[in-house]
Amino acid sequence: MQLNKLRGNTFFINAPTNIGVYTFKNKNCVLIDTGIDNTQAGKLDQILQESGLHPKYIINTHSHTDHCGGNLYFQKNYPGCQVYTSAIEKLFIESPVLHPAILFSASPLKGLGKVPRPVKIDLVFEIGINKIEDKKFEIQSLSGHTPGQIGITTPDSVSFLGDSIFSENILGKYSFPNLFDVEQSINTLCELKNNTAELYVISHMDKVIEKNQLSQLIDKNLNNINSYKEQILELLEQPLSREDLLENICVLNDLSLDFKEYHLAFSTVSAFIKYFFDQHIVDYSLENGRLYYYKK
């Protein structure tokens, strides 16, 4: 992990979840995401201290723990540090039990992971131009992976895209990534083609990419979604429950899931069903206490 200069005052720290850093002349800085926990936040802090930087602002792209798990560390160690995100992600960061509760549809089992402590959000960003100190940051809606994910473009034309798009490596390991809303994911990917930034940082990718590389990666993500759309519709030629559908997807694509990954994948199955249902392609029937979905 080290502080890597990108353009002007924009840097990033390569980590399991890449961290954006924007610096001001007074050595205050903006962090874009904070990693998964206090341990990782401490490592980030050490790098910042070595450069004489003072984290005064945090922008969370979204509410998943690997993006906001270090917030409390910086709030505790840097009194007055302010945290920004979107209105929807604020709900989840301030009430983190919502994520596992949604996955389990009830008070969640411990196997879904430790629920982090709530974090106070100081400011909700609007989509468009927002100012921090005397600098303008462009906030872009990137919903789909989560309902209110945002992207941040710094004054140096560097865009941080969170988990709105997945690297080839991630798609190779987890070809059925967690999506909250399939239609919004597709719309976000298509809209990213209109982004005019010079450089792009994706949260789980080991390199920074340029515009032409982003366009190619967008197409690979869209193709991956389309492949699963076709596969699911083919499977739904016969009535299947959501559990049946996920079982078939796992077998056909050689997916090996642990307990938490199963629930994340099950949620993505639901997202695809919702997408097809809204398009009037899929319907359901309830027979003998079992709910089936099928292609019309």
Side-chain angles (χ1 to χ4, degrees):
M1 293 171 59
Q2 63 182 22
L3 190 66
N4 303 281
K5 184 167 183 174
L6 297 177
R7 288 170 58 94
N9 297 318
T10 303
F11 301 75
F12 88 105
I13 297 173
N14 54 307
T17 299
N18 291 326
I19 309 299
V21 181
Y22 182 85
T23 65
F24 297 96
K25 290 182 180 179
N26 59 10
K27 291 295 185 177
N28 286 339
C29 70
V30 178
L31 298 182
I32 300 173
D33 291 333
T34 58
I36 196 167
D37 56 22
N38 287 343
T39 299
Q40 190 172 111
K43 294 177 181 178
L44 299 174
D45 190 20
Q46 183 177 355
I47 294 170
L48 297 173
Q49 289 183 35
E50 290 171 355
S51 299
L53 295 174
H54 180 95
K56 188 174 180 181
Y57 311 97
I58 293 169
I59 305 174
N60 291 135
T61 57
H62 62 292
S63 55
H64 287 167
T65 308
D66 59 326
H67 294 260
C68 61
N71 286 9
L72 284 172
Y73 173 95
F74 288 104
Q75 287 180 316
K76 178 181 178 181
N77 289 281
Y78 295 90
C81 181
Q82 297 182 323
V83 183
Y84 306 158
T85 192
S86 70
I88 297 177
E89 299 301 317
K90 175 181 187 290
L91 297 175
F92 288 88
I93 294 174
E94 293 187 336
S95 302
V97 73
L98 289 175
H99 275 304
I102 288 172
L103 287 178
F104 196 61
S105 301
S107 180
L109 293 176
K110 291 182 179 179
L112 289 174
K114 181 181 178 182
V115 177
R117 291 171 58 191
V119 174
K120 179 181 179 295
I121 299 299
D122 298 287
L123 180 69
V124 168
F125 273 147
E126 299 294 333
I127 302 303
I129 301 299
N130 292 257
K131 289 187 72 173
I132 301 178
E133 294 195 5
D134 61 342
K135 299 296 182 180
K136 295 179 180 179
F137 294 77
E138 183 176 357
I139 304 302
Q140 181 178 8
S141 172
L142 299 178
S143 59
H145 176 63
T146 66
Q149 181 173 224
I150 55 174
I152 300 95
T153 301
T154 74
D156 299 312
S157 193
V158 179
S159 194
F160 292 84
L161 302 181
D163 288 344
S164 62
I165 182 170
F166 300 105
S167 68
E168 291 183 68
N169 185 47
I170 292 293
L171 290 177
K173 290 181 178 179
Y174 313 103
S175 66
F176 197 59
N178 180 232
L179 301 178
F180 180 83
D181 189 302
V182 171
E183 182 173 10
Q184 288 183 353
S185 295
I186 293 170
N187 290 342
T188 285
L189 287 166
C190 292
E191 186 60 33
L192 279 176
K193 290 195 172 186
N194 299 321
N195 192 309
T196 58
E198 298 288 336
L199 294 174
Y200 300 88
V201 179
I202 296 165
S203 290
H204 305 290
M205 189 172 187
D206 58 6
K207 63 180 179 179
V208 176
I209 60 177
E210 299 179 352
K211 178 68 176 179
N212 64 324
Q213 296 169 303
L214 177 69
S215 182
Q216 294 170 9
L217 191 56
I218 288 170
D219 288 338
K220 289 178 180 178
N221 276 254
L222 287 170
N223 289 339
N224 186 65
I225 291 175
N226 287 333
S227 176
Y228 274 108
K229 282 168 55 179
E230 293 172 3
Q231 184 179 101
I232 290 169
L233 281 180
E234 184 176 346
L235 288 168
L236 291 177
E237 292 287 352
Q238 60 177 337
L240 294 173
S241 69
R242 283 188 293 174
E243 289 84 357
D244 295 333
L245 190 52
L246 179 54
E247 179 184 358
N248 278 275
I249 290 170
C250 288
V251 171
L252 289 171
N253 300 283
D254 196 26
L255 303 180
S256 178
L257 307 175
D258 62 23
F259 184 78
K260 183 176 180 179
E261 290 167 346
Y262 177 90
H263 284 83
L264 289 169
F266 190 73
S267 175
T268 302
V269 167
S270 299
F272 274 98
I273 289 173
K274 193 262 186 185
Y275 172 81
F276 291 128
F277 199 84
D278 287 350
Q279 305 248 346
H280 307 289
I281 298 172
V282 164
D283 208 342
Y284 66 87
S285 64
L286 187 58
E287 299 177 16
N288 299 319
R290 191 170 178 84
L291 184 62
Y292 296 92
Y293 295 93
Y294 59 90
K295 182 180 176 182
K296 288 184 177 180

